[in-house]
Amino acid sequence: SQCPYNRVRSSEPVLKINKSDPCVATHNHFVSWFRGIVHKDESGSLPNIFKNGTIPDEKKLTFDHLVDYIQLPESAPEARTGPPPRDSTKEPRNVSSHEEAQRVFEHLPYEIDPSCTANKSWWWYRTYDGSCNWLKQGEWNEGAIGTKRERDYKQYAYADGVSKPREGPNARAVSNAFFKRKEAIYYEHTPFLLGLIEFIMHDVTYSLDSTTEYVEVPMPEDEETYPLNTTFKVWRTAPMPDTGTSKDNPRENVNMATTWLDMSALYGSTPDVAHALRSHKGGKLLTQELQARGTSGKASYLPYNKMNVTTRTRPGVDPTKLFAGGDPRTNEDWMMLGVHTLFLRDHNRVCDLLATKHPEYDDEQLYQTARMVMGAKYMMIANSYQMAYWTDEMPWPNDDGFPLYRQMLDEDPIDISPATTYPWPLVTKGGKPMVVSVEMAVVYRFHEFIIPSFPIKDAGNATLWEQDLFATGFDSAGFVDAGLENIVRGMLATHIPNFKSGVDESFRSAGRYRGRPFDLATWSIVHEREQGLPTFNQYFLAYNEQDPAIEVPIRDTFEAFSSDPETVANLKRLYKHPDDVDLVVGCQLDEENFPGTTVPKASLIISLFSLFGMGNSDRFSIGYAMMRCFLVDKPWDCHPSNALEDLIWERRDVLGFPDFRFLSTFWLKEMDIEAHGANLLWRLITENSEIKCVQKKPLFPMDPESNPVLCALPKEPFDLPGVVVTALAGAKHLWKRDATKFVSSLVPGLGLIGYLRRRRRTAGAR
Ligand code: HEM
């Protein structure tokens, strides 16, 4: 089968492979899409790259075929002021990091900050703390850890205009009225989405609790679960130092994660945490190798927190006995831990691939480049997450993740395509990149997805036990005992509630969570008010003033919030005026979906729409990397500006064009570019666990017709000639770089050859 990734259909999610039923052969969607873009480009800039100004309309074209259609100019472009070509026969002259940066960023419409160019690793790779992603002079700290969260429309609704929480009805009474789990629950996705989106949120936003200020919420009279003398103690969010001093300097909130989609939940948002999580060997992250129940061998799990990175815990659980991850909430539940562990394994797998392809890379290069490959894959995964909400009514081409933007913008929305260069003005706000806002960090709490329990399933798909989800909090030993595979199988075999289902009582009336009475919904309402967020009508008035294509009607009456008479009665009982209704409450009650999606309009605008903007504000986005040497440079004069571009724009030997580079088939396949990332989740699971049969779209429950189970076929037999070719390439490089190192590298190399010969002999004797 030509179906990507050597897989076949199975009727059952078990390891029974029916070889006679291969999945449907696919073609390279990226090449088809790109052909269309070239065809449509009236500026001539893309057509001029190809012979006859076009890419032939042949179904089976691959990335490698594209290179054959390139129309080379008559001679190589004149040498630029920057670094000379690497393969140049002349001795490379010493070029400073600053000079090189000036050259590769000369297309940026602003001056770049010298503090980012002093050291090449600060602009060539992602920094740990998220700084220097945005390079503009004086603004290099945008999106970094420890910076203030933006406000979508500069609204500060504090009671005193400075820092006092906005007034509102008792937050638990509001939770009881509007956030209780509904009788009719809407199901759509698998809990894999729950773990994934929770991981994504932890990646981009982390509100630190204040240690001195809190809001007390007494139980309302209609309380049915907690004793009436119970009080919730909600710690306010830590403010940005030196803010909240006057109306001109209102209280701001600090984000203690990098805002970028950079997997900081895996790698850490500070150099200290990041270094503590690294093995410093082969670019890999630290792991512990364990054999979980029902598996055939040892596999990687997150290390226990012996290195003492900041980790949230619950009373009685020693944080050094929990897993160490990039984010303090790493141990919050097993859903997220399942996804986190798969990413951990994938990072280390990518390091192995990189080491084979680039034997010249040292630990630092392997780690930083793998981090960027992972970031690229993860962005495409985040894309497929948002695409999991499109319906058949989505009016725009919907395989590239851009329909939301096309929906929102009036002018020629069809022209909005992933063929853009960095920075893309459409996703900047006030001339700056889009980052997590206070509104997003509160409204994007999709806690309705939480389920009370899920099955732990063995390799034969039998349920070992039903696992209470609440009980999985801060229990790493239990995670290991249950085993990643058995947990992930359970996550793929069941479903979660969708919007409008209410928050499960196990987390809304949680008894004691981390030692205290707790209600996830009350916490959101209090945070909205203590952070001085606008109410629902205030927010959407400001939003509608931007003249968006999709408006959100202002609710002039309580009836306008809901068609349910009981809900309206509750609104009237709790609020004095429709303008007072809290933002999260209005979003929760929204009955109209964003056109072409299954997400309520108000929530989507503040959540998914913003997430898209953030992803595309990121200098290291895969989209910009893919377009670098089509739109900024040309393939015959291609100068990457970061390690990701350097990897995917591979050097090719073209006489007279020493800077000729073209897209690397190997890395584009690794990133699943040919299918716009649609297979990455399936691969994340099958390539990093013993689970080999997974539904094609793991965010949706299995369906024999629309979402069949696909099984990975066993690996190809050992490719000895391939290994020898790669080893020779590596040896040639080492010899060129350092002859002494080359000789010392031969010693383990000879050992390897001896081992292989022994292996062949033993295999022959069997
Ligand atoms: C079992 C699953 C989950 C658990 C146990 C959980 C638990 C929590 C807790 C305890 C908080 C802190 C509340 C506070 O201090 O105000 C929180 C915050 C948050 N949660 Fe969840 N959550 C889960 C799933 C999700 C999902 C699926 C999303 C999806 C979008 C999400 C998004 C958020 C966001 C955005 C915040 C605020 C983060 C911040 O600003 O620091 N959570 N969650």
Side-chain angles (χ1 to χ4, degrees):
S1 153
Q2 289 308 301
C3 193
Y5 315 115
N6 211 15
R7 58 195 189 176
V8 292
R9 234 175 229 264
S10 163
S11 51
E12 288 285 321
V14 290
L15 277 171
K16 267 191 219 138
I17 297 174
N18 176 1
K19 285 203 175 175
S20 63
D21 190 10
C23 57
V24 184
T26 57
H27 68 287
N28 191 320
H29 291 283
F30 176 86
V31 173
S32 309
W33 169 83
F34 191 56
R35 179 191 297 120
I37 297 286
V38 172
H39 186 69
K40 262 196 292 178
D41 180 15
E42 287 171 3
S43 76
S45 130
L46 282 175
N48 286 345
I49 298 175
F50 297 96
K51 290 175 189 161
N52 303 325
T54 184
I55 299 171
D57 192 0
E58 287 167 34
K59 269 235 147 70
K60 294 231 163 114
L61 283 192
T62 64
F63 296 115
D64 270 343
H65 290 125
L66 281 186
V67 76
D68 297 337
Y69 296 104
I70 295 221
Q71 176 70 57
L72 285 173
E74 280 179 7
S75 57
E78 274 181 29
R80 310 230 199 150
T81 47
R86 202 189 293 163
D87 293 344
S88 159
T89 44
K90 290 180 209 141
E91 273 301 298
R93 80 181 160 83
N94 251 348
V95 181
S96 73
S97 156
H98 184 71
E99 272 180 295
E100 192 177 350
Q102 288 295 343
R103 150 73 189 86
V104 294
F105 296 122
E106 69 188 0
H107 66 292
L108 294 186
Y110 44 71
E111 287 296 308
I112 52 181
D113 200 297
S115 62
C116 291
T117 56
N119 181 327
K120 184 168 175 180
S121 66
W122 298 338
W123 55 269
W124 186 250
Y125 300 123
R126 284 183 183 279
T127 57
Y128 293 117
D129 65 5
S131 61
C132 293
N133 191 309
W134 179 247
L135 293 167
K136 189 171 176 184
Q137 189 147 32
E139 295 178 6
W140 57 277
N141 220 14
E142 284 295 308
I145 182 178
T147 50
K148 75 165 187 189
R149 287 219 182 87
E150 289 303 325
R151 303 215 161 216
D152 282 345
Y153 303 107
K154 307 259 175 270
Q155 293 168 303
Y156 297 84
Y158 292 112
D160 58 358
V162 183
S163 69
K164 208 167 151 224
R166 168 159 64 71
E167 301 284 333
N170 179 297
R172 173 67 178 176
V174 173
S175 165
N176 285 343
F178 309 115
F179 288 84
K180 263 193 187 147
R181 180 129 284 183
K182 304 287 183 297
E183 274 168 27
I185 295 186
Y186 304 88
Y187 293 110
E188 201 175 40
H189 298 104
T190 63
F192 205 82
L193 183 136
L194 169 60
L196 173 67
I197 182 60
E198 198 185 346
F199 180 90
I200 294 177
M201 284 303 108
H202 289 187
D203 176 12
V204 299
T205 177
Y206 178 43
S207 304
L208 207 60
D209 282 349
S210 158
T211 48
T212 52
E213 300 166 281
Y214 56 87
V215 174
E216 273 194 299
V217 182
M219 286 306 123
E221 278 169 13
D222 64 350
E223 178 60 33
E224 288 172 356
T225 314
Y226 285 103
L228 282 181
N229 62 359
T230 311
T231 308
F232 288 142
K233 193 171 181 179
V234 187
W235 292 95
R236 289 192 70 177
T237 313
M240 191 73 193
D242 304 323
T243 63
T245 55
S246 70
K247 284 189 177 166
D248 294 334
N249 180 29
R251 183 179 173 118
E252 301 281 13
N253 300 112
V254 60
N255 191 355
M256 290 309 288
T258 65
T259 196
W260 312 109
L261 280 164
D262 58 358
M263 305 191 94
S264 54
L266 176 68
Y267 298 113
S269 284
T270 65
D272 285 352
V273 171
H275 279 291
L277 298 175
R278 286 177 61 172
S279 73
H280 293 285
K281 284 194 195 97
K284 293 190 177 178
L285 290 167
L286 279 176
T287 61
Q288 48 179 326
E289 301 302 308
L290 302 166
Q291 181 161 8
R293 68 171 75 207
T295 54
S296 65
K298 288 189 172 179
S300 301
Y301 284 79
L302 286 160
Y304 282 135
N305 189 18
K306 297 273 178 327
M307 62 293 273
N308 237 331
V309 297
T310 310
T311 304
R312 276 194 183 174
T313 183
R314 61 182 155 93
V317 178
D318 176 355
T320 62
K321 302 258 160 56
L322 292 174
F323 290 130
D327 180 88
R329 297 157 292 185
T330 295
N331 296 277
E332 206 151 71
D333 61 88
W334 290 1
M335 297 276 155
M336 188 188 50
L337 262 175
V339 173
H340 193 142
T341 309
L342 288 170
F343 282 138
L344 170 88
R345 292 182 184 182
D346 208 41
H347 171 94
N348 286 353
R349 192 185 63 82
V350 167
C351 286
D352 285 336
L353 292 179
L354 270 172
T356 321
K357 292 275 166 195
H358 288 276
E360 75 278 15
Y361 281 9
D362 61 17
D363 168 67
E364 181 69 9
Q365 287 169 300
L366 287 170
Y367 168 82
Q368 297 291 4
T369 311
R371 203 171 146 226
M372 295 187 61
V373 172
M374 290 298 291
K377 290 173 73 173
Y378 172 66
M379 276 196 193
M380 307 235 295
I381 286 175
N383 221 19
S384 53
Y385 145 66
Q386 59 152 344
M387 285 158 67
Y389 283 107
W390 302 165
T391 66
D392 292 343
E393 268 80 62
M394 177 56 82
W396 306 109
N398 59 14
D399 60 354
D400 60 12
F402 284 56
L404 282 186
Y405 254 65
R406 297 186 187 114
Q407 290 275 63
M408 276 292 195
L409 299 160
D410 278 341
E411 291 164 31
D412 292 330
I414 199 70
D415 285 345
I416 295 173
S417 87
T420 44
T421 50
Y422 177 83
W424 191 29
L426 275 184
V427 291
T428 53
K429 238 184 176 179
K432 289 185 174 183
M434 278 177 69
V435 292
V436 172
S437 67
V438 274
E439 290 89 353
M440 179 178 169
V442 171
V443 173
Y444 215 147
R445 299 172 178 222
F446 291 170
H447 289 142
E448 292 186 278
F449 298 175
I450 298 178
I451 38 177
S453 65
F454 70 105
I456 305 292
K457 284 191 171 275
D458 71 11
N461 211 27
T463 299
L464 296 174
W465 70 85
E466 186 69 17
Q467 175 65 46
D468 179 311
L469 181 59
F470 186 77
T472 68
F474 312 100
D475 180 11
S476 328
F479 181 86
V480 172
D481 182 51
L484 175 77
E485 276 78 357
N486 302 322
I487 292 171
V488 170
R489 271 188 216 102
M491 288 167 71
L492 294 166
T494 171
H495 49 209
I496 53 170
N498 205 347
F499 302 93
K500 305 188 186 107
S501 301
V503 177
D504 197 86
E505 284 301 290
S506 59
F507 283 87
R508 207 192 65 84
S509 298
R512 300 175 88 79
Y513 182 67
R514 300 180 62 216
R516 292 186 170 280
F518 184 72
D519 163 11
L520 263 180
T522 297
W523 258 245
S524 302
I525 299 156
V526 172
H527 281 312
E528 149 170 358
R529 297 178 188 163
E530 64 88 11
Q531 295 182 14
L533 261 61
T535 62
F536 184 87
N537 277 347
Q538 287 170 342
Y539 181 90
F540 284 104
L541 259 176
Y543 163 82
N544 288 342
E545 269 171 26
Q546 319 297 307
D547 203 18
I550 310 282
E551 287 212 346
V552 176
I554 299 304
R555 311 329 194 205
D556 294 329
T557 61
F558 286 118
E559 285 76 7
F561 278 101
S562 171
S563 57
D564 173 34
E566 197 186 328
T567 303
V568 174
N570 276 329
L571 284 168
K572 289 182 177 168
R573 174 172 64 84
L574 290 164
Y575 294 98
K576 290 197 193 81
H577 191 279
D579 288 349
D580 300 338
V581 174
D582 292 287
L583 181 59
V584 288
V585 174
C587 288
Q588 174 76 7
L589 300 181
D590 193 6
E591 291 173 354
E592 195 187 347
N593 283 344
F594 191 92
T597 78
T598 55
V599 187
K601 203 196 245 187
S603 303
L604 182 142
I605 288 164
I606 305 178
S607 57
L608 284 177
F609 191 64
S610 306
L611 190 70
F612 175 91
M614 283 161 48
N616 287 284
S617 284
D618 191 325
R619 187 159 63 83
F620 299 104
S621 281
I622 177 66
Y624 300 128
M626 285 292 294
M627 289 296 131
R628 170 83 197 185
C629 294
F630 289 127
L631 295 176
V632 180
D633 293 341
K634 295 293 170 231
W636 52 83
D637 185 26
C638 174
H639 300 266
S641 72
N642 63 51
L644 181 63
E645 292 169 0
D646 192 33
L647 192 71
I648 65 176
W649 287 94
E650 222 166 46
R651 281 180 180 278
R652 306 274 174 115
D653 286 334
V654 176
L655 198 65
F657 294 89
D659 284 319
F660 192 100
R661 287 174 180 246
F662 204 70
L663 294 167
S664 152
T665 299
F666 179 86
W667 289 109
L668 296 199
K669 199 170 179 69
E670 173 58 25
M671 294 173 203
D672 197 33
I673 302 283
E674 63 197 275
H676 298 301
N679 300 300
L680 282 178
L681 279 176
W682 183 89
R683 280 182 40 206
L684 181 71
I685 300 162
T686 55
E687 290 178 349
N688 295 296
S689 75
E690 290 193 8
I691 306 173
K692 297 298 168 205
C693 295
V694 177
Q695 59 260 41
K696 189 167 187 230
K697 294 180 275 177
L699 298 181
F700 291 93
M702 195 275 271
D703 178 272
E705 290 307 314
S706 62
N707 196 18
V709 168
L710 301 180
C711 295
L713 286 170
K715 283 216 165 94
E716 299 290 324
F718 186 60
D719 174 19
L720 188 59
V723 170
V724 172
V725 170
T726 313
L728 285 177
K732 187 176 148 204
H733 181 89
L734 272 182
W735 176 257
K736 267 185 166 177
R737 228 166 78 155
D738 185 336
T740 331
K741 264 195 190 159
F742 172 73
V743 174
S744 57
S745 75
L746 280 182
V747 181
L750 291 174
L752 176 71
I753 292 170
Y755 166 77
L756 287 173
R757 291 174 75 177
R758 274 198 305 281
R759 198 164 163 262
R760 283 192 130 190
R761 273 205 301 273
T762 9
R766 268 187 206 141

